[in-house]
Amino acid sequence: MAKVVENLVDSFYTLHISATGTDFKKVEHLQKCDHPTDEKTLDDVTATDDTRTIKAAVNFKEDSEIEFEYILDPTDAVHQLIQTSFDGNKELHFQLKYTVATGESRQFKGTISKLATDNSDTKKKLRKTGTIAITSDVTKISG
């Protein structure tokens, strides 16, 4: 007998970019984009008489990076913005929005630290792969 699985959420999402933090535009033909990690920095506060390791969370954020990929349309304004921001080392505003699990959507600022052209499969359209170096706190947003 098959087990019925309920209340699971599909992982459909979109990535939106803005140069100013307003008027976000969707990245067309997005193939993948990692989700920013939520990770606390821990400090080892083990005293000399402790019998096990003791760690405490500190108010410090480690640098974080996420990767993304899209199919290139050289006439698309957002694709052009990604390229010119990479070329000019400009910070952008990003929104990663989930279509169903809207509470998982995130907003942050970052710079494109890597942007490469992927022509490895001649049966596919030309792809761009990139890395976003997150330069701000990652905050939750609603849909």
Side-chain angles (χ1 to χ4, degrees):
M1 175 182 249
K3 182 177 181 181
V4 177
V5 181
E6 297 177 6
N7 301 320
L8 301 181
V9 179
D10 292 328
S11 61
F12 301 118
Y13 59 87
T14 56
L15 180 64
H16 302 255
I17 297 178
S18 169
T20 62
T22 59
D23 194 29
F24 283 84
K25 302 286 187 200
K26 178 182 162 187
V27 177
E28 296 294 338
H29 313 299
L30 185 70
Q31 298 298 290
K32 70 174 188 168
C33 183
D34 295 337
H35 185 90
T37 59
D38 294 324
E39 186 174 340
K40 295 190 181 279
T41 302
L42 299 177
D43 184 20
D44 185 344
V45 295
T46 308
T48 57
D49 60 343
D50 285 331
T51 58
R52 65 178 188 84
T53 302
I54 308 294
K55 295 196 180 223
V58 295
N59 189 18
F60 183 84
K61 304 269 189 208
E62 292 287 345
D63 288 341
S64 178
E65 295 181 338
I66 61 172
E67 295 185 2
F68 67 105
E69 177 182 307
Y70 59 95
I71 300 170
L72 179 62
D73 177 355
T75 65
D76 183 86
V78 175
H79 293 190
Q80 292 171 356
L81 176 61
I82 292 169
Q83 184 67 55
T84 57
S85 296
F86 171 74
D87 293 342
N89 301 316
K90 302 288 184 199
E91 186 176 62
L92 295 170
H93 300 259
F94 297 89
Q95 290 180 335
L96 182 63
K97 293 183 174 184
Y98 289 88
T99 57
V100 176
T102 56
E104 294 300 317
S105 298
R106 300 290 189 269
Q107 181 169 301
F108 53 91
K109 292 191 278 186
T111 58
I112 309 292
S113 61
K114 176 182 172 185
L115 192 60
T117 303
D118 180 3
N119 66 351
S120 60
D121 188 343
T122 57
K123 296 177 185 172
K124 290 183 174 182
K125 299 292 186 187
L126 198 61
R127 279 146 165 76
K128 286 283 194 173
T129 58
T131 302
I132 302 168
I134 297 174
T135 58
S136 71
D137 287 340
V138 176
T139 57
K140 287 185 177 186
I141 57 172
S142 59

